[in-house]
Structure formats: structure tokens, C-alpha cells
Amino acid sequence: MAMRVSGMYSGMDTESIIADLVAVRQKKVDDVKKAQTKHEWKQDAWKTLNSKVYKLFSGTLENLTYQSSYAKKTTKLSNPNAATVITSDNAMKSVQSLKIDTLASAGYLTGGELKKEGVEITKDTTMGELLGLADGAKSSVNVTIGGEEKTIELTADMKLSDFAGELQKLGLNANFDEATNRIFIGAAGTGEKNDFNITGDAAVLKSLGLSAEGGAKKLDGTDAKIYLNDVEFTASTNTFEINGLTITCNATTGNDAITLTTEDDTSGIYDMIKDFIKEYSELINEMDKLYNTKAKKGLEPLTDEEKEAISESEAEKIENSIKDAILKGDSTLSAVSSAMKEVMRSGFEVGGQTMYLSDFGIETLGYFESATNEKNAYYINGDADNENSTIKNKTNDLMAAISKDPTQVRDFFVKLSQSLKAKLNDLMKGTNYSSSYTVYEDKKMKEEYDDYTKKIKEEEQKLADYEDKWYKKFGAMEKAMAKMQSNMNAVSSMFGGM
């Protein structure tokens, strides 16, 4: 780099003159940087859009392609307060009777109040104090859980809190409550298999309040018992899994049976299709908006110097305007959206006839009714959630078709979804220019971004060389003028001395 010399002898503002001379070259650097910034924004826009396309592809669309997705069942109960039912897709259509005889419960022991003359009972009270154990002496209690017996050794220095901890180690819920001076013990789960019993020396159990003599009250764990179609079933919990139904009991019914009616879940099928139509329409609307948004002429990304010259809000407004129109007229975007629209407009043979979305009451709004960039969105006629009164007040042909012939609905949407998925799968195939499951040329765009980085370095080097050239020239001029000034001073001094 050339030495930066000011106009000491020439009297010229060399810094300003050189800045003006290199301004054109600086613009070349700025133009490449701005082009790279726009390219980066375009990459970001595609990344966001691609994630939405893939979400549709792998989510709601994927779900529609399987026939099993339409085999939805639901179960209605004559008394929904007594039980709840989760219905799997392989449950049988049926009408069944259910009696809930008993509910499952967990074993629980409320210990008697602990008292010992001359001893203040706290969680830190030892077995020595409570049971009269001498140092080194031991006792024990036996705990049986699910038929398996284990022994807890009691030592003189063992505290009541320690004893509760030993019970916890065996899998029980246990605590010594200082407010009531009682030991509370609960089974880890409901049912007879999780129940527990505590045995041992009668005097020890009485002193610990764990026996009837010591005031303890024990509630045994019980199994749940139901009669489904007059057949008895028992379980350690209140939940039964029987032939595709998961029945959770909430209350006993006595001798009054409740009715369980299992049938096709028309609302479940409807919601599945509705979710797809909604997600597709939101995506296609966004694509149309991105493709059609008009860019304001003359707007380019701002350099740091340009940002400093205006307010932060003005700079943000300019950048957002550019970003909003970054995919305007994009050929790849046009190809993807056109392919999706073509499938949705297509007919598919079902039961010997060609059917379209419109045959199921799924249509676009009229050209003049549709909002800008929403002319390719689909709506379900008669859907209660739609705010458009024209759509809302129509007959819900989709729900009617599901109720009348769910097989026909299934066959149509399986074919439509498989066709759309195949089209998107083809568009998302990995190539030399794009990664798998990507609808745009991400690899190529990455290479182009790197090319911009290389170009910026080249232009910046040219700018530096050009600037150095002018500094060298002005430096040489200043040097020559300095020499001439020196010579003139020498001559003047010669004449002055005569």
C-alpha cells in the first residue's frame, strides 16, 4: 500500500480528490455486495418456503395417502360420566353394554398417633427412644408387596424419618407427619398386586402405630371389575384394553348398564381432509403472493453508509419491500405452484366415474369474489369455521359424502393425495443442483453465493490497487514540489546573501 501523503506543498485536498476518483470503482464493489445480499435474501425466502412445502408433504398430505387413515372409529357412551373410551382404528362397529362393578384402589395405611411418656415425638425421634432399644440392640418389621416379603432392620439410632426412607426404598409411598405424629404409608399403584402388608413383633408394631392395637387403619388395594356384555373383566387399574377399545372407568354403575356404540368417525375423517385443504390453501396463497408481489423500482439493499444517512425505520421499510418481492416471477416457484394446482384440478376415477374436488363440495371462490392472490385456495362448502357467508351457508357435501359412502371419499382422496405426493416427490428429488426433499436449487444457489464472495474480494483488491496508484501519483507530485521548493529556497538564499 502506498504511503498516504497530504497536500502539504500543493495545497490540494488529496484525500477528497482521490475519494472522488475511486468512487466509480467503489460503486462496483457496492453493487456486487448488494447483489450478494439480494441473493442471500432469496436463499432465505426459499428455505422458509421449502420447509412449508415439506411440512405439507410429510404431514397432512402423507396422512391422506394411506387407506388406514380413513378407518377411524369413535365410541359414544349413554353415560359419559361413568367412563371414557378411546377407540382404535381396528375396533369393531358394535353396540355393547357395560357395567362397572368396582373401581381399582390403592392400599393405604394411616398409622396411629405415636406417644411415649417422657419423649417428644418428632421425625428425629430414634427407635431407641420409641421402642426402648439399647445401643447395639436390633428389631425388625416385615413388609410384603405383591407376595414378596422383605425385612427392614430397626436399630437404636434409626430415626422415624429414616424408617420412612427405608419404606420408600421398597417402593412404597411413606412419610412421618410431625403435625399429627403419625406414619402414613401408601402403595405405589392400585390393585391387589400392588397392595402391601406390614408384620412383625406385636409390641414393635404397636409402638410404631402400625397395627390395629396401635390405632392404625388399613385400606386394602382392590382391583377394578367390569362386565362387558355380561362377561367379567378385572384389572389392577381402572383402565381396560378390550378388542380395540381403551375403557377408563370413573364411577360404578351398579346394576344399570351403560351403552357403548362404536361406529365410523365421520368427523375424524372430515377433520383430516379439512386440515389438508386448509394447509394446502395457505401454502398456495403464499406462493401466489410471493410470485405476484410487485417490486418497487430502484430499490436495492443499503450499504452501511446509506443506512447511516436515513432513519432505522426507513432502512427497515426499504429492506422489507425488497424481501417481499424477492421471488417475484421466479420460474422455479411458478413450476412448483403450477404442478400443485394441476393435481388439485384433476379428476380421479372412483367406482367407475371420474370425480373432482367439486363433487365433494370443495371449491375455489369465484374470480371476483376471491381476494388478491387467493384465487387458487380451496374451501369446504358449509364448513362452520369459514367466515365467508357464501361458503358457510352452502350444503356441506363433504360431510354428507363421508356419512353416506366413506369408501368413495377414501378412494378419491387416496388417489388425489398420492398423485400430489408423487408430483412433489419428483420436484424434490436430489440433483447436482439441489438436495433431496428440496424444491429449489439450493446447492447451485450456495455456489452462486460463494462466487459473489470471491467477486467481492477481487473488486476490493482492484479498488485498493487503484486507490494506491493515485496516492503514489500524488505522492510523487508532492515530492517533486517539495524538491522544487527546496531549490527555490536555495536560490533565494544565494541572492539574499549578495
Side-chain angles (χ1 to χ4, degrees), residues 171-202:
L172 295 173
N173 297 310
N175 182 54
F176 173 72
D177 179 36
E178 288 187 331
T180 60
N181 281 356
R182 297 172 187 265
I183 296 173
F184 293 88
I185 306 172
T190 58
E192 294 178 7
K193 72 176 184 180
N194 293 312
D195 199 10
F196 66 94
N197 282 299
I198 298 179
T199 59
D201 182 83

Side-chain angles (χ1 to χ4, degrees), residues 26-58:
Q26 179 65 53
K27 186 176 184 304
K28 287 184 177 182
V29 175
D30 291 342
D31 287 346
V32 180
K33 286 183 176 180
K34 290 180 177 183
Q36 186 185 47
T37 298
K38 287 182 71 173
H39 187 80
E40 183 179 16
W41 289 348
K42 190 171 185 179
Q43 282 180 301
D44 292 340
W46 263 120
K47 287 177 183 177
T48 300
L49 185 59
N50 189 80
S51 67
K52 294 179 180 179
V53 174
Y54 183 74
K55 180 176 177 291
L56 176 76
F57 174 83
S58 60

Side-chain angles (χ1 to χ4, degrees), residues 431-435 441-448:
T431 67
N432 291 333
Y433 300 106
S434 62
S435 306
E441 295 178 336
D442 61 317
K443 291 182 180 178
K444 183 179 180 181
M445 292 188 77
K446 175 62 169 59
E447 290 178 0
E448 291 170 343

Side-chain angles (χ1 to χ4, degrees), residues 61-106:
L61 178 61
E62 170 81 5
N63 198 31
L64 284 178
T65 62
Y66 300 108
Q67 290 192 0
S68 59
S69 298
Y70 301 81
K72 297 182 181 297
K73 301 286 193 310
T74 186
T75 299
K76 298 177 182 178
L77 289 77
S78 60
N79 181 0
N81 295 321
T84 57
V85 177
I86 298 174
T87 312
S88 68
D89 294 342
N90 62 352
M92 295 168 52
K93 291 184 183 180
S94 60
V95 178
Q96 304 181 73
S97 66
L98 171 67
K99 291 181 182 179
I100 303 173
D101 186 60
T102 59
L103 295 177
S105 64

